[in-house]
Amino acid sequence: MRLHRLEITAFGPFGTAQTVDFDTLSAAGLFLLHGPTGAGKTSVLDAVCFALYGSVPGVRQSPGASLRSDHAPVGTYTEVLLELTVGERRLEITRRPAQQRPKKRGGGFTTEKAQTWLREYDPATGEWAGLSRSHQEIGEEITQLVGMSREQFCQVVLLPQGDFAKFLRADAEARGKLLGRLFDTRRFAAVEERLADLRRAAEQQVREGDERLLTLAHRMTQAAGGLDAARAPVEGRPGDPGLAESVLTWAAVARTEAREALDIAGVRFTAAERGQAAARAALDAEKELADRQARHADALRRREQLTARAPERDRHQAALDRSLKAERVAPALGLRKDAEREHATAQAARERSRAHLPPDLADQGAEHLSALEHRLRGELGGLGSARRAEQRAAALAEERAALAREARADEDALQDAAGWLADWEPRRTALAERVEAATDAAARAEHLAGRLEPARRRLAAARRRDALERDTAAAEARLTDAREHRNTAHEAWLDVKSRRLRGIAAELAATLTDGDACQVCGSTAHPAPARTTADHVDRATEDAAYAAYTRADESRTAVERELAVTREAWSTARADVLSAADGTASTLGTDPTVDELAREVEELARLHGEAHALAGQTHHAREALARAEREHEERVGAQREAERRVAARTSRREALDEEQATLDEELARGRGAFASVAEHATRLERQIAVLVEAAATVRSAELAAQRLKEADDRLADAAYRAGFTTPAEARDALVGEAQRRALQQHIDVWQAEAAAVADRLAEPGTAAAATLPPADPEAAAAAHTAADRGLRQAASDLAAARERETGLTGLSRQAGTEVRRLGPLREEYDRVARLAALTAGTSAENERRMRLESYVLAARLEQVAAAATARLQRMSSGRYTLVHSDARSGGKRAGLGLHVVDAWTGNERDTATLSGGETFFASLALALGLADVVTDEAGGVRLDTLFIDEGFGSLDEQTLDEVLDVLDSLRERDRSVGIVSHVGDLRRRIPAQLEVVKARHGSAVRLRTGGDALSG
């Protein structure tokens, strides 16, 4: 990686844009970066780191720290641009941190987000091509190309002052932290943590398996209750080595005892079954004997009862027989009864019809009545034409009445239409004028609205102008006070600073200690240190004065910004007042007042409101005109239609008069002596109906009398054939269906009981049982109950033994499965636990108690020591060699020790025993060696530019020459080295220089090469 150009703007102490040409500086191979304290030498290196990684090293990137220069003017962006070549690619990185800027509208400030640009130079076209503006993409691209993180870059490229001296004197733990960050050995620490996690997980699995095994053993102990094995349960805890074998052995013994107990229970159950079967057979035999004896006694009792009921059964049988003979006469009795009822009904109807007939027709026969009916029907048929003529005459009367009503309605409509049409022209003219006035008002309202809005904006702008004018006067007063306060604070700070500079030698002399090098000349002897004077002030006083000046200056700058913003806002408001929205000049003069503009707005608003109100009636006016025109058309059409209907009614009325005359002649003939034809026809229809009914009743009465006589003859014949002397005797012997079924049921019950008693007494076993002694079923039942109780107890014992044997067998099988499953887990735990202890340094096999990460870092430290020794021997004239030591110190772990071998004495000693100058060049050699190793670790990325920050003041002249020779030899690898130092002798030895000069308005850089640099 080679740096070409660095541009810094408003960054750190640099208030303006500064450019550093690294190509010119690197041409000499070795260049010097110098300047007074606080000028910004380290800020140049911070800018390089910020351009690459977006942050600066160390505490300078702490929360709340700002990268923006306090000397930068408002409106200038803080920006860093770095041009470099890495991986055969020429890139340009531009970064802007998050920073405050003035708001574009209104007063105050707003925070602008951080921005990043990445471009690449194309040699073929000679142009820069943009690659990305994403922080994440650019960060990943730079880290991949450089091959180092920010921490590695700061340690390898920007060799910090004092860090490697601390590294030399640090203990193994501190060295491990630094080397771990540089070489990124987190993956080895992750391996240690992973193995520890695996060990804990495997241990947990084994313990959980043992707990499940002990749970199974406890369940087997419960299942084996009552056996000898249950009195000696398994003893052990999770994790015990022989726990699985103990559980399996105990389970085998318990299963054997359970099988023996099961066999014994089976034999007892078989014997109980045989005893229970014998008791059951004896009980059944005793019950059967008792039942037969009871059946024989019951049959004898029932036979006696049947003998007592025999006379009653004979009476029921005789009544049933007479009823069966009377059933043959029942149909004739029914026919006689129906004929008698029909004859009575016909006679009653004949008497009712006779009451409606005239006296001369009351005793006439059916034939005479029918002939009279036919004559009246002929007369009724002749009245049909007259009835139709009468109905038509009624219809004509209704139609003539309807025509009269229509004539009156049409006459009213014609009068109303004539009156309305007489006023049409004046009404239409008034409505048209109303529409025209509303249309003109709409155009006027639109024009006034276009003038009203600009007038309101000018009024608002005038109010803002007057308010901002007052704010400007107040801000000018505050600016005058702030300037006076800032000048006073500035003069006080310059006075305090000059007083401190006059006594700075005494202040530095107060920190001198015999034997320690002077910070200015590097000498360890201090023969005449300077003394403080009465007006000397310390650094705290100067810092307080400078802080007061800074606050006053910031206050003055803030007031200036506020005044500028206020004036700009006032100018904008005044310009808004002086210009009209439509580009025309105002009618109120060049600079109108708020009152004038308010009156103008009020007048425009009034006129606009009036015009808008009138314009709002446009729609209603047009609708009223349209409605009137539609009504005019409707009324003219109605007038014409009414005139047409009047002419048509006159013709229709004449035709109706002619038809009515013809109908009147025909109706006179049909009415005769009655008021109307309908009344004549109704009278004839009523007479015909009476005659029809009378003839029918006469015929029905004659037919019913004939049927009654025939029924009496058939009934007498049927009674004689059935054996009865008279029909009345047969009617008395006849009984109802329910009574006959009851008689038959009594007879059937007696016969069924007699048959059942005979069958019972005829049973062979029943008669034999009656001759035996009485049975005793209760004693047999007690014996059977005792046998059944013994069988249930034997079955319960057998089931318990079988369940115990089955449970122990299943649990033993589960225990065997669990033991087989735990085998690989226990082997895995033993293997992982051994590896975890070995990598953690706690195993007895790890003699030096080195962790895995420490072991890897020890190998890297050995490489660093070998690379550093090549330069340390040149710097120390072959005296010192750096070596890695993995010896243990006290009870601590070994692996990261660092010793120096003194060739003059042949002894190996700790690096903490080196002097100040020796510590510096040893640290420098270690830093350069570390840079080589980290570069190789990063994939061989070339680091063509390095920076070394301070420490050269502790070297004598000869050692300084040797150190510079070593640094100069770095050019053999095409490197350029920048030295950051205050030592004046270096400015005479190194021709290529970058000077950082500080001033009140910010620092600046100057590039000096050749004789110009050496003469300065």
Side-chain angles (χ1 to χ4, degrees), residues 104 210 270 287 311 489 679 856 947:
K104 295 181 180 180
D210 286 348
T270 302
K287 285 182 177 181
E679 182 182 354
V856 175
F947 295 92

Side-chain angles (χ1 to χ4, degrees), residues 381-393:
L383 294 178
S385 176
R387 294 175 69 180
R388 289 191 295 273
E390 188 177 42
Q391 294 174 355
R392 176 59 182 162

Side-chain angles (χ1 to χ4, degrees), residues 95-318:
R95 290 189 187 268
R96 288 181 182 176
Q99 54 193 294
Q100 296 283 327
R101 65 165 178 80
K103 293 183 178 179
K104 295 181 180 180
R105 295 181 180 179
F109 291 82
T110 184
T111 301
E112 184 165 316
K113 295 181 180 179
Q115 302 181 58
T116 308
W117 295 268
L118 177 63
R119 301 197 300 170
E120 182 175 5
Y121 181 74
D122 187 357
T125 60
E127 296 180 352
W128 290 91
L131 297 181
S132 176
R133 294 191 62 177
S134 169
H135 298 296
Q136 183 176 359
E137 292 179 359
I138 295 174
E140 294 175 354
E141 182 73 11
I142 295 301
T143 302
Q144 182 178 1
L145 290 174
V146 176
M148 289 180 285
S149 63
R150 181 177 66 89
E151 291 76 11
Q152 290 176 321
F153 180 84
C154 294
Q155 292 291 142
V156 174
V157 179
L158 310 178
L159 304 180
Q161 57 186 12
D163 282 6
F164 283 94
K166 296 178 183 177
F167 182 81
L168 282 174
R169 298 186 177 94
D171 56 10
E173 184 177 357
R175 288 195 187 106
K177 292 180 180 179
L178 176 61
L179 293 174
R181 289 196 304 270
L182 292 177
F183 293 105
D184 193 15
T185 57
R186 289 176 296 180
R187 59 186 183 279
F188 299 103
V191 170
E192 297 178 19
E193 295 177 1
R194 178 59 178 166
L195 287 174
D197 292 341
L198 290 176
R199 179 189 61 78
R200 287 190 293 270
E203 182 181 7
Q204 181 64 25
Q205 290 180 344
V206 171
R207 292 184 64 85
E208 290 176 355
D210 286 348
E211 289 175 356
R212 288 193 296 272
L213 197 60
L214 285 174
T215 300
L216 289 173
H218 178 68
R219 292 173 58 188
M220 286 190 289
T221 303
Q222 292 177 338
L227 299 178
D228 294 339
R231 300 185 182 92
V234 178
E235 299 292 340
R237 293 180 301 175
D240 291 350
L243 179 63
E245 186 65 26
S246 299
V247 171
L248 293 179
T249 301
W250 186 92
V253 174
R255 286 199 308 275
T256 302
E257 293 182 1
R259 291 193 182 102
E260 293 177 355
L262 178 62
D263 294 340
I264 294 173
V267 173
R268 292 177 178 173
F269 178 74
T270 302
E273 275 186 331
R274 288 196 297 268
Q276 192 267 351
R280 181 65 190 178
L283 176 61
D284 292 340
E286 200 68 18
K287 285 182 177 181
E288 184 178 1
L289 177 60
D291 182 64
R292 288 180 178 180
Q293 291 177 348
R295 285 166 62 86
H296 186 269
D298 181 68
L300 293 177
R301 179 182 55 78
R302 289 164 62 189
R303 187 173 60 182
E304 293 176 358
Q305 292 176 354
L306 285 174
T307 303
R309 294 203 309 270
E312 182 183 6
R313 178 257 178 192
D314 294 339
R315 288 193 302 272
H316 288 164
Q317 185 65 48

Side-chain angles (χ1 to χ4, degrees), residues 370-382:
S370 297
L372 182 59
E373 172 207 348
H374 292 314
R375 184 173 62 79
L376 292 177
R377 286 186 182 275
E379 185 179 352
L380 179 62

Side-chain angles (χ1 to χ4, degrees), residues 373-632:
E373 172 207 348
H374 292 314
R375 184 173 62 79
L376 292 177
R377 286 186 182 275
E379 185 179 352
L380 179 62
L383 294 178
S385 176
R387 294 175 69 180
R388 289 191 295 273
E390 188 177 42
Q391 294 174 355
R392 176 59 182 162
L396 290 178
E398 292 179 359
E399 187 173 357
R400 291 167 68 88
L403 290 175
R405 289 194 299 271
E406 291 177 359
R408 288 192 298 272
D410 287 341
E411 185 178 357
D412 294 340
L414 288 173
Q415 292 177 358
D416 182 62
W420 191 90
L421 292 174
D423 298 334
W424 163 242
E425 288 300 329
R427 184 184 297 111
R428 187 184 63 80
T429 303
L431 291 174
E433 292 176 352
R434 181 184 173 191
V435 171
E436 184 178 359
T439 304
D440 294 342
R444 189 166 61 257
E446 183 177 0
H447 175 70
L448 291 173
R451 294 179 57 194
L452 180 59
E453 188 59 31
R456 286 173 175 168
R457 289 199 296 270
R458 293 181 64 203
L459 176 59
R463 289 169 176 165
R464 291 198 305 274
R465 177 200 62 191
D466 294 349
L468 290 171
E469 188 173 1
R470 294 190 296 272
D471 294 343
T472 301
E476 288 175 348
R478 290 197 300 274
L479 178 60
T480 301
D481 296 340
R483 283 174 175 170
E484 293 177 356
H485 181 58
R486 183 258 183 196
N487 293 335
T488 302
H490 187 241
E491 292 174 359
W493 170 59
L494 292 179
D495 178 64
V496 171
K497 184 175 182 181
S498 62
R499 288 164 58 192
R500 181 168 180 261
L501 289 176
R502 287 195 299 269
I504 194 65
E507 184 176 334
L508 293 174
T511 63
L512 295 177
T513 304
D514 292 339
D516 292 342
C518 176
Q519 299 181 16
V520 179
C521 63
S523 175
T524 58
H526 319 297
R531 304 295 181 182
T532 58
T533 60
D535 62 344
H536 177 67
V537 294
D538 57 6
R539 183 180 181 87
T541 304
E542 182 186 358
D543 290 344
Y546 179 72
Y549 159 67
T550 302
R551 289 192 298 272
D553 188 63
E554 291 175 352
S555 177
R556 187 261 309 168
T557 303
V559 174
E560 286 180 347
R561 286 197 297 267
E562 180 183 357
L563 178 59
V565 172
T566 305
R567 284 175 175 172
E568 183 179 358
W570 177 85
S571 300
T572 302
R574 187 171 183 271
D576 292 341
V577 172
L578 296 179
S579 62
D582 56 356
T584 61
S586 173
T587 60
L588 299 179
T590 57
D591 198 1
T593 64
V594 173
D595 293 337
E596 292 174 344
L597 290 172
R599 287 193 295 272
E600 181 183 11
V601 169
E602 183 179 358
E603 179 64 18
L604 289 175
R606 183 185 63 78
L607 295 176
H608 176 264
E610 294 175 354
H612 186 269
L614 183 57
Q617 302 177 6
T618 303
H619 179 69
H620 298 291
R622 288 175 176 171
E623 285 187 347
L625 178 59
R627 285 195 302 271
E629 290 176 346
R630 288 194 301 271
E631 186 177 0
H632 174 262

Side-chain angles (χ1 to χ4, degrees), residues 24-57:
T24 303
L25 293 172
S26 301
L30 191 65
F31 62 90
L32 178 66
L33 178 60
H34 67 92
T37 301
K41 301 184 295 298
T42 305
S43 296
V44 175
L45 308 183
D46 290 346
V48 173
C49 184
F50 176 74
L52 289 174
Y53 296 99
S55 59
V56 298

